[in-house]
Amino acid sequence: EAGVVQSPRYKIIEKKQPVAFWCNPISGHNTLYWYLQNLGQGPELLIRYENEEAVDDSQLPKDRFSAERLKGVDSTLKIQPAELGDSAVYLCASTKGQAGGVDEQFFGPGTRLTVL
Amino acid sequence: AQSVTQLGSHVSVSEGALVLLRCNYSSSVPPYLFWYVQYPNQGLQLLLKYTSAATLVKGINGFEAEFKKSETSFHLTKPSAHMSDAAEYFCAVSEPGGSEKLVFGKGTKLTVNP
């Protein structure tokens, strides 16, 4: 079974430029998460999708960040414009969507963003 | 609000020695607790989870953790460290019946010396 796929693995951009990250979850996983992991820190949730609906985006900085999950499968996270402080690893995770917080989240390898 | 505190951002042990990584949590309800491992340039992998069944949880790669409600702790242990255990370890908490949101600690980097 293929795991969570993310691309690109690395991205270097100039500040004020736009950037997009792509995630393909495990087949059949209805719930998809985007996390931000700063250097030396644990992941922090940005947004959670149940199928195509964003059910928790309270931590997403909506002035510059946006996300979509068309057709409830792949997802894209976008930053426009990027700032120096956005340099971090962006992780995608997915679960089957079993209710109650018990489900194991499967993580992708992440996209490491460097903003110059 | 839930939170996790991992004591010690870096832990160094000798190969064959006991591994002890500490995690304390705060939660308004009996929580679910998780330990994840992250190898360099890889995503997080679940080691084990506590979901209100047995308080001593066994995971992969010989790791185990014990839920102690009185101490609000969920420390991770392994009797004998192996070089391949060198990685970063994250403790996380979520609320049963809640949003499935995981709240992570800051992580502990484990170094295993030959």
Side-chain angles (χ1 to χ4, degrees), chain A residues 37-75:
Chain A
Q37 186 176 19
N38 286 306
L39 187 65
Q41 303 290 320
E44 299 173 33
L45 181 67
L46 288 173
I47 189 167
R48 177 170 72 97
Y49 282 93
E50 295 286 349
N51 298 302
E52 65 272 13
E53 181 182 0
V55 295
D56 183 357
D57 63 356
S58 57
Q59 302 302 311
L60 190 71
K62 298 181 184 61
D63 56 336
R64 297 184 301 107
F65 286 66
S66 64
E68 60 182 13
R69 192 184 183 197
L70 302 176
K71 301 182 181 179
V73 182
D74 296 1
S75 178

Side-chain angles (χ1 to χ4, degrees), chain A:
Chain A
E1 179 182 82
V4 177
V5 178
Q6 291 188 248
S7 69
R9 291 293 313 276
Y10 304 91
K11 188 73 175 179
I12 301 174
I13 61 172
E14 299 281 338
K15 63 181 180 181
K16 300 185 182 180
Q17 294 300 305
V19 64
F21 315 124
W22 175 80
C23 173
N24 181 239
I26 292 172
S27 178
H29 282 197
N30 299 320
T31 305
L32 182 147
Y33 309 78
W34 282 103
Y35 287 90
L36 165 69
Q37 186 176 19
N38 286 306
L39 187 65
Q41 303 290 320
E44 299 173 33
L45 181 67
L46 288 173
I47 189 167
R48 177 170 72 97
Y49 282 93
E50 295 286 349
N51 298 302
E52 65 272 13
E53 181 182 0
V55 295
D56 183 357
D57 63 356
S58 57
Q59 302 302 311
L60 190 71
K62 298 181 184 61
D63 56 336
R64 297 184 301 107
F65 286 66
S66 64
E68 60 182 13
R69 192 184 183 197
L70 302 176
K71 301 182 181 179
V73 182
D74 296 1
S75 178
T76 302
L77 178 68
K78 298 178 181 178
I79 308 175
Q80 183 171 9
E83 297 179 351
L84 294 176
D86 296 331
S87 294
V89 176
Y90 293 82
L91 294 166
C92 180
S94 69
T95 71
K96 291 181 181 179
Q98 177 181 354
V102 156
D103 227 2
E104 175 182 353
Q105 294 188 23
F106 292 84
F107 284 80
T111 296
R112 182 177 296 275
L113 173 67
T114 302
V115 182
L116 303 176

Side-chain angles (χ1 to χ4, degrees), chain B residues 11-20 63 77-83 85 110-114:
Chain B
V11 170
S12 182
V13 300
S14 299
E15 191 174 19
L18 171 71
V19 175
L20 171 60
F63 284 94
T77 60
K78 182 174 180 177
S80 177
H82 192 274
M83 297 295 289
D85 295 327
L110 176 66
T111 300
V112 182
N113 302 307

Side-chain angles (χ1 to χ4, degrees), chain B:
Chain B
Q2 307 158 82
S3 67
V4 169
T5 302
Q6 291 185 241
L7 297 176
S9 58
H10 290 84
V11 170
S12 182
V13 300
S14 299
E15 191 174 19
L18 171 71
V19 175
L20 171 60
L21 305 181
R22 299 178 186 273
C23 172
N24 288 88
Y25 69 90
S26 173
S27 177
S28 57
V29 298
Y32 292 150
L33 293 160
F34 305 79
W35 275 100
Y36 280 84
V37 61
Q38 186 175 34
Y39 297 100
N41 298 316
Q42 295 186 28
L44 281 74
Q45 178 185 5
L46 182 68
L47 278 177
L48 49 80
K49 63 181 178 183
Y50 167 77
T51 57
S52 74
T55 57
L56 182 62
V57 182
K58 294 187 183 298
I60 62 171
N61 301 338
F63 284 94
E64 63 181 37
E66 186 172 8
F67 172 70
K68 292 186 176 181
K69 182 179 179 180
S70 61
E71 298 177 8
T72 60
S73 70
F74 191 57
H75 302 330
L76 182 71
T77 60
K78 182 174 180 177
S80 177
H82 192 274
M83 297 295 289
S84 61
D85 295 327
E88 189 146 23
Y89 292 80
F90 293 93
C91 183
V93 63
S94 73
E95 281 190 4
S99 65
E100 299 187 20
K101 176 181 177 178
L102 281 177
V103 175
F104 286 88
K106 293 186 176 182
T108 298
K109 186 174 183 179
L110 176 66
T111 300
V112 182
N113 302 307

